[in-house]
Amino acid sequence: MAPIRSTTRSPAVSIYKHDAALDASVGKDGIDYTRVNLLRNTAVAKLYEDALRYEPGTSISSAGALVTSSGKKTGRSPRDKRIVDEESTTEDIWWGPVNTKLSEHAFLINHERAVDYLNTRERLYVFDGFAGWDPKYRLKIRVVCARAYHSLFMHNMLIRPTEEELKTYGEPDFTILNAGAFPANRYTTGMTSSTSVSINFKLRQMVILGTEYAGEMKKGVFTIMHYLMPKAGVLSLHSSANQGLRGDTSLFFGLSGTGKTTLSADPARALIGDDEHVWTDTGVFNIEGGCYAKTIDLSAEKEPEIFGAIRFGSVLENVVFDEDTRIVDYADKSLTENTRCAYPIEYIPNALIPCIGKHPKNIVMLTCDAQGVLPPVSKLTSAQAMYHFISGYTSKMAGTEDGVVEPEATFSACFGQPFLVLHPTQYATMLAQKIGEHKADVWLINTGWNGGAYGTGKRIALKYSRAIVDAIHNGELKNAEYVTYPIFGLEIPKAVTGVPAEVLNPATAWQGTPATFNATVSKLAALFNKNFAKYADQATEDVIAAGPKL
Ligand SMILES: Nc1ncnc2c1ncn2[C@@H]1O[C@H](COP(=O)(O)OP(=O)(O)O)[C@@H](O)[C@H]1O
Ligand SMILES: C=C(OP(=O)(O)O)C(=O)O
Ligand SMILES: [Ca+2]
Ligand SMILES: [Mn+2]
């Protein structure tokens, strides 16, 4: 007779095992660390069990990944992001389009709300991890959340501590309270909706209410590093990074969805990280312990490394699968175009562990031009590099932010404006100094449209972008013949192995009339100049002169 499975849960699974390391935190952030059913750095399989059992919409994919739903928010909510206005940091912060002030009192109202919510959950998950592979700059990050999905997500995205590090962890440097399933009170002063994502640098706490999109936690850590790292004299970057056999590191800057993760996953190069790095005096380190890849239209043949990383322990967000086979349909964007997978970086075969690389030799700025008039690749002078880094022209890709339903031309300073804490020119100045010191070449790669604008042209084939990156890495483009692209003054290579020559110059690739081409170029150039006027007072003459000339 088949053994009868016990219908009651085995006590070892559900009773809290007191973790003395948490005692150091009792009474510090309002969370009741002495309660039962508080699970710290829980085993992946246990998080699977709890997510499947208690979180509706959770499943397991045919590849073994945890399929989760983040509810109504499937992308970041930048309009609801707040930084607390307090005396220890207010003079540093770039208040304005990105960083909106929240009073200390309003933060405490939200903090209290989140703590009350979390303390009254039946189960509570604590994940203690690190941000920053270089021990000299490493931060202890604690995540307190009510969903096993969120705990597994940050288990994957933070650097996972060893047993010893966990025992001696002590007080975290920053704590994220994720009460995302519970709304903010819209009548709290400073709220713009029932979603609120706020960071208090003085209390070193982040509070999430009204959104269960896990990317808010990851980007919250990045925002914290984007403040603390420059203050420590090192440069935080919204870029992926990989390293060649000769120790030649490449950085790939780009706004969300432009190709950082895709193009840094390269079988011929060791992956340092896919999204967030810091350039120090000794090299480049990854801030994270995992990758967060977009999975829209993902296929094994186009992106084998990422496809292969989707397995037990990975977290798939908002994907759709076949009810019977559990095979995910990555082309299905019925929930969102911003479908994602978060996985430990070790799931990428040639990940460089520890994720610390040497000084960059090539810096790629990824623009996703929806107008179809920027060259697939151009080599930048140092002045042009600064101009384009501060401009950050690209497109917000569908789904990556609440309300973005198709590529939206945008100027995102440092190719990551939503995460900047200081003024863009502070990051640009540090970048210019490092590019000069380490004699790095700088390239502008358009992973966006070619032959016409969004809606008429099509996005340049991934294989062409990969061929361009290969030509940068194998030195072909260092010695190529160039031609100057008018108005923007960009140097375009006449030939790149694996890329049809007519694709390389937007004028020859253009399917429409010359008149529409010229009008589109002029219109975009004017947008560049209008945008850069915001920074002219802080830019040098040569950088201002590096812009397009109408
Ligand atoms: N030419 C191209 N270069 C890079 N990515 C491309 C290209 N064409 C389409 N894509 C798709 O764009 C998306 C880029 O996503 P990702 O690399 O995760 O961006 P990021 O890491 O910058 O947020 C992927 O889904 C990729 O398949
Ligand atoms: C999740 C994010 O990272 P990525 O740059 O990979 O989109 C984001 O920027 O929202
Ligand atoms: Ca990415
Ligand atoms: Mn990013």
Side-chain angles (χ1 to χ4, degrees):
M1 171 144 97
I4 298 170
R5 271 176 61 81
S6 148
T7 51
T8 54
R9 298 193 48 65
S10 57
V13 170
S14 65
I15 299 297
Y16 167 74
K17 291 196 301 290
H18 182 67
D19 188 326
L22 290 174
D23 291 347
S25 304
V26 173
K28 294 282 173 61
D29 54 21
I31 293 296
D32 174 7
Y33 290 105
T34 64
R35 54 164 286 174
V36 293
N37 269 357
L38 182 149
L39 296 167
R40 180 186 187 231
N41 289 53
T42 318
V44 171
K46 168 70 179 136
L47 292 173
Y48 261 60
E49 286 174 15
D50 282 11
L52 288 164
R53 182 168 287 128
Y54 305 116
E55 300 173 24
T58 307
S59 299
I60 298 181
S61 80
S62 59
L66 190 70
V67 176
T68 66
S69 159
S70 65
K72 62 182 188 314
K73 296 279 187 178
T74 56
R76 279 183 285 108
S77 305
R79 284 182 296 279
D80 301 310
K81 179 175 174 178
R82 297 290 183 274
I83 303 281
V84 174
D85 179 16
E86 40 79 24
E87 74 288 342
S88 73
T89 57
T90 192
E91 294 308 315
D92 297 329
I93 291 173
W94 181 39
W95 299 114
V98 173
N99 299 307
T100 304
K101 292 183 178 182
L102 185 71
S103 73
E104 292 185 271
H105 183 69
F107 178 81
L108 290 177
I109 290 172
N110 282 357
H111 186 274
E112 187 77 353
R113 193 172 175 86
V115 163
D116 288 346
Y117 173 78
L118 292 168
N119 279 340
T120 52
R121 292 313 92 200
E122 201 189 325
R123 286 166 301 283
L124 201 57
Y125 304 94
V126 174
F127 184 76
D128 286 339
F130 300 112
W133 279 87
D134 182 334
K136 187 176 169 193
Y137 299 97
R138 189 169 87 168
L139 274 191
K140 294 187 284 184
I141 305 285
R142 168 168 292 167
V143 180
V144 183
C145 53
R147 289 193 65 175
Y149 140 51
H150 287 156
S151 203
L152 180 55
F153 177 89
M154 289 305 272
H155 165 277
N156 289 354
M157 297 310 294
L158 288 173
I159 297 163
R160 290 159 289 286
T162 61
E163 276 308 307
E164 191 45 38
E165 285 170 332
L166 213 43
K167 276 204 199 81
T168 59
Y169 193 82
E171 270 299 275
D173 296 314
F174 235 96
T175 300
I176 297 175
L177 300 180
N178 189 335
F182 197 69
N185 182 329
R186 287 176 300 135
Y187 299 102
T188 300
T189 307
M191 295 300 100
T192 32
S193 77
S194 55
T195 294
S196 177
V197 177
S198 54
I199 291 175
N200 186 323
F201 283 109
K202 183 165 82 173
L203 297 182
R204 296 197 157 219
Q205 307 245 344
M206 174 181 190
V207 170
I208 299 174
L209 290 163
T211 172
E212 297 177 78
Y213 175 63
E216 294 290 3
M217 293 184 282
K218 161 207 164 58
K219 286 307 186 183
V221 171
F222 188 39
T223 301
I224 291 160
M225 296 296 270
H226 240 354
Y227 174 67
L228 295 177
M229 292 299 104
K231 297 295 280 181
V234 289
L235 176 56
S236 42
L237 314 157
H238 188 216
S239 74
S240 58
N242 62 21
Q243 185 172 280
L245 297 175
R246 300 187 311 279
D248 55 308
T249 293
S250 290
L251 298 181
F252 301 83
F253 286 97
L255 189 59
S256 313
T258 54
K260 297 186 297 302
T261 302
T262 298
L263 294 175
S264 60
D266 180 335
R269 296 172 67 83
L271 179 68
I272 301 169
D274 86 318
D275 192 53
E276 303 170 4
H277 290 81
V278 178
W279 194 348
T280 68
D281 301 338
T282 53
V284 166
F285 70 81
N286 185 359
I287 288 172
E288 301 181 290
C291 300
Y292 191 36
K294 282 173 66 68
T295 56
I296 190 71
D297 300 327
L298 181 68
S299 66
E301 107 284 332
K302 271 199 316 182
E303 300 182 72
E305 293 82 13
I306 295 172
F307 195 85
I310 302 178
R311 62 176 94 142
F312 179 75
S314 299
V315 175
L316 277 169
E317 271 185 325
N318 304 313
V319 294
V320 176
F321 57 69
D322 180 284
E323 270 304 314
D324 301 324
T325 63
R326 289 312 196 241
I327 294 173
V328 174
D329 175 2
Y330 292 109
D332 188 318
K333 51 185 98 164
S334 54
L335 294 176
T336 176
E337 186 148 337
N338 191 40
T339 51
R340 291 270 175 172
C341 184
Y343 48 84
I345 193 159
E346 304 89 276
Y347 283 17
I348 294 288
N350 51 336
L352 184 68
I353 308 289
C355 302
I356 304 175
K358 297 185 181 347
H359 290 294
K361 285 293 167 227
N362 284 293
I363 292 176
V364 174
M365 297 181 180
L366 297 170
T367 180
C368 194
D369 169 27
Q371 306 304 315
V373 294
L374 287 187
V377 58
S378 44
K379 191 164 185 311
L380 301 184
T381 64
S382 49
Q384 286 176 327
M386 282 306 102
Y387 180 90
H388 285 280
F389 187 67
I390 292 170
S391 300
Y393 167 68
T394 185
S395 301
K396 281 186 191 177
M397 299 308 280
T400 54
E401 289 186 9
D402 217 14
V404 178
V405 294
E406 61 179 36
E408 260 175 39
T410 186
F411 289 89
S412 187
C414 308
F415 293 97
Q417 183 165 303
F419 320 114
L420 300 184
V421 184
L422 309 176
H423 189 280
T425 50
Q426 289 186 246
Y427 302 95
T429 305
M430 290 177 82
L431 180 64
Q433 185 275 324
K434 289 190 175 298
I435 289 171
E437 183 185 345
H438 299 288
K439 298 181 182 45
D441 287 330
V442 188
W443 313 84
L444 183 68
I445 287 186
N446 176 13
T447 62
W449 276 257
N450 184 270
Y454 169 76
T456 53
K458 58 184 187 349
R459 198 169 173 186
I460 186 167
L462 175 54
K463 66 180 179 187
Y464 295 157
S465 299
R466 286 200 194 281
I468 287 167
V469 169
D470 290 346
I472 288 171
H473 286 145
N474 66 27
E476 179 186 335
L477 287 195
K478 203 153 173 75
N479 315 308
E481 262 193 272
Y482 286 84
V483 63
T484 304
Y485 183 55
I487 295 189
F488 281 92
L490 296 171
E491 294 305 305
I492 307 178
K494 286 186 174 170
V496 177
T497 303
V499 184
E502 66 276 8
V503 161
L504 292 172
N505 186 327
T508 51
W510 193 258
Q511 303 299 309
T513 63
T516 54
F517 177 76
N518 295 331
T520 306
V521 172
S522 305
K523 188 171 156 224
L524 183 59
L527 287 176
F528 264 86
N529 291 333
K530 180 166 176 269
N531 175 69
F532 201 81
K534 297 203 287 275
Y535 304 106
D537 60 331
Q538 310 219 16
T540 53
E541 284 312 309
D542 62 329
V543 172
I544 295 169
K549 293 181 184 50
L550 278 169

